[in-house]
Amino acid sequence: MTADLALIWPELILTIGGLITLMLGTFAGDRQVGLYQLAAMVTLAAAAAAVVTFFGTDTTVFSGTLSVDSFGGFAKLLIYAASFMCILVAPRFFKDSMRAEYPTLILFAALGMGIMASSRDLMTLYIGLELNSLAAYVLASFMRTDDRSSEAGLKYFVLGALASGMLLYGISLLYGFTGTTDFAGIAKVIGGEMNIGLLFGVVFVIAGLAFKVSAVPFHMWTPDVYEGAPTPVTTFFATAPKVAAMALLTRVVIDAMGPAVGAWQQIIIFLALASIILGAVGAIGQKNIKRLLAYSSINNVGFMLVGLAAGTQQGVEGVLTYLLVYMVTTLGAFLVVLQLRDDQGNQVESIPALAGLSQRRPGIAAALAVFLFSLAGIPPLFGFWPKYLVFEAAVNANLVPLAVAGIVASVIGAYYYIAIIKTMYFDDKSDTEFPKGTGTVVEDAVITASALWLSVIGYLFIGVLGVLSASAASVLF
Amino acid sequence: MSGLPILSLMLAVPAVGAIACAFAGDRNARLIALGATLVNLALGILMWAQFDVGGAQWQFQELHEGLFGRFNYALGIDGIALMLIVLSVFLMPLCILASWEAITKRVGLYMAMFLIMEVVMIGVFAAQDLLLFYVFFEAGLIPMYFIIGIWGGANRIYAAFKFFLYTLLGSVLMLIAMIAMIREAGTTDIPTLLVYNFPPEMQTWLWLAFFASLAVKMPMWPVHTWLPDAHVQAPTAGSMILAGVLLKMGSYGFIRFMMPMFPDASAQLMWLVFALSMVAVVYTSLVALVQSDMKKLIAYSSVAHMAIVTAGLYALNQQGIEGALIIMLSHGVVSAALFFCVGVIYDRLHTREIDRYGGLAVNMPAYALFFMLFTMASIGLPGTSGFVGEFLSLAGIYEASSTVAFVCTTGIILGAAYMLYLYRRVVFGELTKDDVKAMPDLNPREWAILAPLAAVALWMGVYPESFLAPMRGDVTTVVARLAPAKPAGDAHLAAGKPKAAKAGDHGAAQGEAHHAGGVQ
């Protein structure tokens, strides 16, 4: 038991750090923004450092319910980094309504996501998922006085509860028909004869998790919640939980259902294609940039699922690389959105108001153009590379029709990305003024760095990324 | 062959220039862009001078293995790539000069986009790694999207979207084919892939996927419809580079990838290329005949010329391919010049309507002369670059199929019809319109652009060997690669029968025997 505790330092640090942050907020007051913000960020940095030290270990703790391996480590690093950024940008957005609950909730959500990414048992899976979800529901409605925010929280909660129900139903079926909640044990039984009960279990578990990654047809909540939630929270939703849920889904289908590829592969293929197409078509005609990015995230999840559908190590490597690049791009894009303020200091979310942005704020517009082209996967921007990897995995797994359908549908997606670029670059200036100086030095630096990395510099990291994702993915095979 | 990494340098100079332009003021941006393109032109000429004709197939090779992890930074050129790179670096400074006064808003961004375009073009022709090629090939979409969309005409946004989505849709299928090729051959190295024998049934699919992409880029009928829109809306220099070099990326892909990599499929599907080319030659020429917009007319003539290129390439013999390559170079120079000629009068009157002009020979004699020269070159008059290419490629096509040669030749006649008709309406006739009367003749800047273009068009027409020599060996390689699969042509070549030797003339009889031996 004590030996096990020594292996879960990241989780311990997050728990203790989260409690300390909560105490600081309670006793020092919500005004001491710098204090609790710093505490939360130090906690995340420490947890990330702990993850790095465990990178390369491959073992399980607590009777095999939680794994300590580089797959979980890879996902956790991404999750902590995204959480870190979301805490960093929050005070400027919330101004006076910033409260200590925000970093605390993010810390506990990060804890839950870490557990999701390392779970090896249906019970730990559910605990991690719910810990993350409950924190997320509150975060969505963090601006209590704002109708849209409250509505987003409520919607997220109701639909999330439904998804949890489906997931639990699936879990109970899997447990009932296999007699175990352990992934390895399930895999052993599932490798034998498939029966209708097991199949239903598989379907319901995947459906529940598909809700979390917002894959079509379980995506309905995404645009509304992304639009309604405060922008830093949307940034959080679009990055960290995506990574966690995708890692979890990967682990479940490969680890627990690996032997029954035939049973889940077609489901994943359907989810992938539906997400790519609906994510692309739904985005056309959106007037709100946050809604649009919501559809973009649905679209991108579809591409990740293409890699997962391959069911091979190469496919999982592709998914992991995709997650990393997607996270950097999305963080960058949302940081840009956070900087879009008119002369009254109000957030601008309407896309038509961005007309002529390239002349008012050339730097911001160029960065957003880089992020959007990258999300569309147009070379030479680095967003092309993960798309290439997942399609390569699909072709190598003899899923050529899937690859062809996916890549053709990606052209539909390109349409709405270049439509925003058209608004920013081709259209005449709108009436909205965009005064400069809306971002801190750190934010500007992060935007610049990620835009540069996503232009051509990222290609120099392909080798490193390949090694990292291969060592992470090899754990599952 | 010196230690200088000349290809990397040619990529780096415009790339650095582009970054500098993006931050520079209007005036400085123009100067930086001109400087960078001139440096690249000098490097290109240096490279041409150092190119060892008849030497190794691949020269100026650079390889940094593992720089991009899964694929390599591998550059290198053969004669075909050399000529296309030289064409690109030759046109670029002229494009910059052509936009000197016409572009007044956001000059820095404009020049940056053009320099990025140059990086992309050189990268496409120099890449020796399949994925590196694809990255460059696709990267061209972004700067062209901006060039058409920001500085284009009234309907520029529609044209920019159409250009972007159309060409993207084509090229994604090529990516899937490339993935399958890499999987099959286990390498991304283009010279290795060029001699790899893909299974014939796989070749057909790969060929079709490449065809889908390259035919759009070319563009071939019926996927050419983006081109007239893009040309009409693009600024003058954008049209010049689009017609001059970007279209050649498609035909370069034909000769670099489709023909040597998939020889069986090429032979099997040559009827498809022939059929589409024949339709294109006749149909687009007829469409060009009825255009009232000058740029649209030249755009359609581009489609017709590129159709002769594809037919020439798919004749799969030495003459056909050499001729097609010369048309590519010639069309690169001539169509760029014609678009510039349109630009010259557009800058003065701000309309492309043919009817708004007339009688320019009176008040713009120098302009009329240049326009005449390029019109003739486009038609293919002997002495101009167009003739060499069209004659050679038609001779090659005739060897493969006389029907195709017959149909393609009508394209030359129709070409003469629409070009001369255009010339008559714009340059000849009465000078009646007041605003046309007020148009001044060429200024020194326009002279500086048209004179080199004219010189090259004549050079290529009078002494094409300068351009053919570097490419000949590479064409022979491709032809040899295609030889086992190539179907017999319908031209049954037979050697002439020499007259019977006079009795007692010993020497002549021996000569005849030798001759007969030679025919075998």
Side-chain angles (χ1 to χ4, degrees):
Chain A
M1 188 69 185
T2 337
D4 285 353
L5 284 177
L7 285 166
I8 57 160
W9 268 113
E11 280 75 17
L12 291 178
I13 291 171
L14 279 179
T15 316
I16 296 165
L19 293 172
I20 291 174
T21 313
L22 190 61
M23 288 299 133
L24 281 176
T26 313
F27 290 107
D30 285 332
R31 289 286 141 261
Q32 301 295 321
V33 177
L35 189 64
Y36 54 74
Q37 197 191 8
L38 185 72
M41 287 183 348
V42 168
T43 306
L44 280 168
V51 171
V52 171
T53 55
F54 287 121
F55 210 82
T57 37
D58 184 9
T59 176
T60 57
V61 290
F62 302 119
S63 328
T65 52
L66 205 64
S67 60
V68 181
D69 55 23
S70 31
F71 180 82
F74 189 98
K76 278 185 216 171
L77 282 181
L78 295 187
I79 292 164
Y80 297 164
S83 310
F84 187 91
M85 283 312 298
C86 296
I87 294 176
L88 186 71
V89 299
R92 258 183 103 80
F93 178 87
F94 290 114
K95 296 190 191 116
D96 291 343
S97 53
M98 179 72 183
R99 300 190 306 276
E101 287 93 332
Y102 179 81
T104 314
L105 284 168
I106 289 213
L107 284 181
F108 285 123
L111 173 64
M113 289 185 285
I115 296 173
M116 281 162 79
S118 1
S119 62
R120 286 193 73 258
D121 188 283
L122 293 172
M123 295 321 293
T124 39
L125 174 159
Y126 192 72
I127 290 170
L129 195 93
E130 283 305 291
L131 183 52
N132 162 43
S133 300
L134 288 172
Y137 301 146
V138 183
L139 279 171
S141 48
F142 193 72
M143 291 173 84
R144 286 174 296 197
T145 48
D146 183 61
D147 286 350
R148 285 200 308 167
S149 180
S150 316
E151 186 192 328
L154 186 65
K155 221 173 234 174
Y156 195 14
F157 176 68
V158 172
L159 289 170
L162 182 71
S164 294
M166 284 200 288
L167 182 66
L168 272 181
Y169 186 50
I171 287 176
S172 66
L173 282 171
L174 278 186
Y175 175 63
F177 281 88
T178 61
T180 175
T181 54
D182 178 51
F183 285 1
I186 294 171
K188 221 173 274 167
V189 179
I190 244 174
E193 203 185 337
M194 197 72 183
N195 61 44
I196 191 89
L198 269 178
L199 196 61
F200 265 76
V202 168
V203 170
F204 274 103
V205 167
I206 292 181
L209 295 176
F211 177 89
K212 288 290 162 196
V213 296
S214 61
V216 176
F218 306 100
H219 65 289
M220 311 76 77
W221 59 278
T222 320
D224 293 338
V225 172
Y226 276 35
E227 185 189 0
T231 313
V233 176
T234 313
T235 315
F236 182 67
F237 286 167
T239 50
K242 279 273 152 78
V243 177
M246 206 62 203
L248 177 60
L249 182 60
T250 308
R251 221 189 252 279
V252 169
V253 297
I254 304 286
D255 248 10
M257 305 170 184
V261 176
W264 56 263
Q265 194 174 43
Q266 41 188 319
I267 305 175
I268 301 284
I269 289 177
F270 170 75
L271 293 177
L273 283 181
S275 304
I276 292 173
I277 294 169
L278 218 101
V281 174
I284 299 170
Q286 294 300 332
K287 294 273 175 273
N288 181 297
I289 185 103
K290 280 161 79 182
R291 274 190 95 82
L292 186 123
L293 286 169
Y295 279 104
S296 150
S297 85
I298 297 171
N299 181 254
N300 276 287
V301 160
F303 289 111
M304 295 179 209
L305 291 173
V306 169
L308 187 55
T312 56
Q313 184 178 334
Q314 203 186 14
V316 175
E317 284 170 29
V319 172
L320 290 174
T321 312
Y322 205 118
L323 280 171
L324 172 67
V325 176
Y326 167 79
M327 201 192 84
V328 174
T329 321
T330 310
L331 262 180
F334 273 105
L335 284 182
V336 169
V337 172
L338 275 168
Q339 291 223 12
L340 299 175
R341 291 169 181 276
D342 61 15
D343 41 5
Q344 256 86 56
N346 298 321
Q347 284 280 311
V348 178
E349 293 174 6
S350 135
I351 293 174
L354 299 181
L357 184 69
S358 67
Q359 293 172 66
R360 293 190 195 274
R361 302 214 40 199
I364 286 290
L368 190 53
V370 166
F371 297 135
L372 294 173
F373 273 130
S374 185
L375 282 170
I378 312 287
L381 299 165
F382 197 48
F384 161 69
W385 184 246
K387 282 209 169 67
Y388 170 80
L389 286 179
V390 294
F391 284 121
E392 186 186 37
V395 170
N396 289 353
N398 292 323
L399 297 174
V400 179
L402 168 68
V404 170
I407 207 158
V408 168
S410 79
V411 178
I412 311 174
Y415 171 76
Y416 65 84
Y417 293 119
I418 63 170
I420 306 180
I421 291 163
K422 173 224 139 207
T423 310
M424 293 193 302
Y425 276 87
F426 303 173
D427 290 355
D428 295 328
K429 286 186 207 172
S430 66
D431 298 333
T432 320
E433 294 283 345
F434 287 96
K436 289 189 194 307
T438 45
T440 59
V441 180
V442 183
E443 284 175 42
D444 287 344
V446 172
I447 291 176
T448 316
S450 35
L452 282 179
W453 190 71
L454 288 168
S455 46
V456 278
I457 298 173
Y459 284 88
L460 300 175
F461 289 84
I462 287 176
V464 184
L465 279 179
V467 173
L468 270 180
S469 59
S471 80
S474 64
V475 177
L476 300 185
F477 291 90
Chain B
M1 297 291 172
S2 54
L4 197 67
I6 201 163
L7 285 169
S8 291
L9 213 56
M10 288 176 84
L11 291 174
V13 169
V16 172
I19 295 167
C21 279
F23 293 101
D26 287 4
R27 209 187 130 64
N28 287 339
R30 290 192 183 103
L31 289 173
I32 293 170
L34 187 64
T37 50
L38 284 176
V39 169
N40 249 20
L41 175 60
L43 286 171
I45 292 171
L46 180 72
M47 193 166 71
W48 192 4
Q50 288 188 356
F51 189 82
D52 179 16
V53 175
Q57 187 188 3
W58 302 102
Q59 303 185 20
F60 302 99
Q61 279 185 307
E62 291 171 37
L63 176 65
H64 294 279
E65 228 162 320
L67 185 65
F68 301 131
R70 295 278 303 286
F71 65 105
N72 301 327
Y73 178 79
L75 301 178
I77 51 165
D78 62 354
I80 300 170
L82 170 79
M83 293 322 300
L84 288 166
I85 290 179
V86 170
L87 174 71
S88 315
V89 295
F90 169 67
L91 288 178
M92 276 311 292
L94 304 179
C95 287
I96 302 289
L97 274 179
S99 349
W100 205 260
E101 283 160 8
I103 302 298
T104 49
K105 59 168 189 174
R106 296 155 95 183
V107 180
L109 189 61
Y110 178 86
M111 293 300 170
M113 286 302 159
F114 260 86
L115 291 173
I116 293 174
M117 205 67 235
E118 180 165 24
V119 177
V120 168
M121 293 181 310
I122 295 171
V124 164
F125 297 132
Q128 279 209 313
D129 186 285
L130 206 55
L131 289 177
L132 191 65
F133 169 83
Y134 185 80
V135 167
F136 278 121
F137 190 78
E138 285 275 86
L141 297 184
I142 296 175
M144 208 60 209
Y145 175 69
F146 281 109
I147 290 169
I148 298 175
I150 301 184
W151 297 278
N155 203 8
R156 59 185 199 277
I157 289 167
Y158 170 75
F161 272 78
K162 194 167 177 183
F163 164 78
F164 193 96
L165 296 175
Y166 230 101
T167 37
L168 181 65
L169 181 61
S171 41
V172 291
L173 289 176
M174 185 167 77
L175 182 64
I176 296 290
M178 285 180 169
I179 292 173
M181 284 162 70
I182 294 168
R183 179 194 183 192
E184 167 75 23
T187 178
T188 54
D189 183 47
I190 289 177
T192 315
L193 288 167
L194 281 174
V195 291
Y196 186 88
N197 293 315
F198 290 98
E201 62 278 16
M202 189 180 175
Q203 278 187 26
T204 310
W205 290 106
L206 296 177
W207 190 95
L208 285 171
F210 269 76
F211 188 66
S213 164
L214 299 172
V216 172
K217 205 89 175 176
M218 272 292 260
M220 291 180 78
W221 184 87
V223 285
H224 65 284
T225 58
W226 64 269
L227 186 77
D229 286 311
H231 268 316
V232 169
Q233 301 303 330
T236 302
S239 297
M240 286 168 73
I241 210 69
L242 188 58
V245 184
L246 291 199
L247 302 190
K248 275 68 197 179
M249 287 184 184
S251 41
Y252 175 75
F254 269 55
I255 184 144
R256 172 65 67 243
F257 297 102
M258 284 168 66
M259 291 162 59
M261 288 187 190
F262 322 127
D264 297 304
S266 289
Q268 179 197 351
L269 290 162
M270 68 193 281
W271 63 268
L272 180 63
V273 179
F274 279 152
L276 294 182
S277 303
M278 286 192 291
V279 175
V281 167
V282 177
Y283 169 76
T284 52
S285 298
L286 289 173
V287 173
L289 209 48
V290 296
Q291 292 306 314
S292 57
D293 181 311
M294 286 189 278
K295 271 186 147 181
K296 224 170 196 165
L297 191 151
I298 299 171
Y300 277 109
S301 87
S302 290
V303 182
H305 279 109
M306 293 315 281
I308 298 184
V309 170
T310 44
L313 288 175
Y314 265 85
L316 308 181
N317 54 37
Q318 185 90 19
Q319 279 149 315
I321 297 174
E322 279 183 5
L325 289 169
I326 289 288
I327 301 186
M328 278 161 67
L329 297 177
S330 151
H331 179 260
V333 172
V334 173
S335 66
L338 284 171
F339 275 117
F340 181 69
C341 285
V342 175
V344 166
I345 50 177
Y346 179 80
D347 286 347
R348 288 163 171 69
L349 212 57
H350 297 285
T351 176
R352 292 178 304 262
E353 286 295 311
I354 297 172
D355 293 343
R356 292 280 291 108
Y357 296 93
L360 289 180
V362 179
N363 60 340
M364 299 178 74
Y367 173 78
L369 179 71
F370 277 118
F371 197 4
M372 167 66 94
L373 174 75
F374 295 120
T375 303
M376 291 307 158
S378 176
I379 295 168
L381 200 75
T384 61
S385 55
F387 172 73
V388 182
E390 285 180 355
F391 181 78
L392 269 175
S393 54
L394 285 172
I397 298 168
Y398 186 70
E399 197 183 311
S401 163
S402 42
T403 324
V404 178
F406 175 75
V407 176
C408 287
T409 315
T410 61
I412 313 268
I413 299 162
L414 287 169
Y418 60 72
M419 285 312 293
L420 290 174
Y421 187 43
L422 168 73
Y423 191 77
R424 191 195 73 73
R425 284 181 292 170
V426 173
V427 177
F428 293 151
E430 292 292 311
L431 183 60
T432 50
K433 303 178 181 81
D434 288 334
D435 45 0
V436 178
K437 270 182 202 163
M439 283 162 61
D441 204 355
L442 298 180
N443 62 28
R445 181 178 62 87
E446 287 156 353
W447 266 97
I449 296 167
L450 286 170
L453 287 167
V456 171
L458 286 174
W459 178 12
M460 219 183 273
V462 176
Y463 193 68
E465 181 63 15
S466 322
F467 303 90
L468 272 175
M471 302 195 289
R472 184 166 292 127
D474 305 308
V475 174
T476 314
T477 314
V478 174
V479 171
R481 176 99 176 117
L482 287 161
K486 189 180 119 180
D490 65 352
H492 304 292
L493 301 181
K497 284 205 182 80
K499 246 199 239 166
K502 278 184 205 130
D505 192 341
H506 183 75
Q510 216 166 28
E512 191 188 6
H514 270 295
H515 193 83
V519 171
Q520 297 303 310

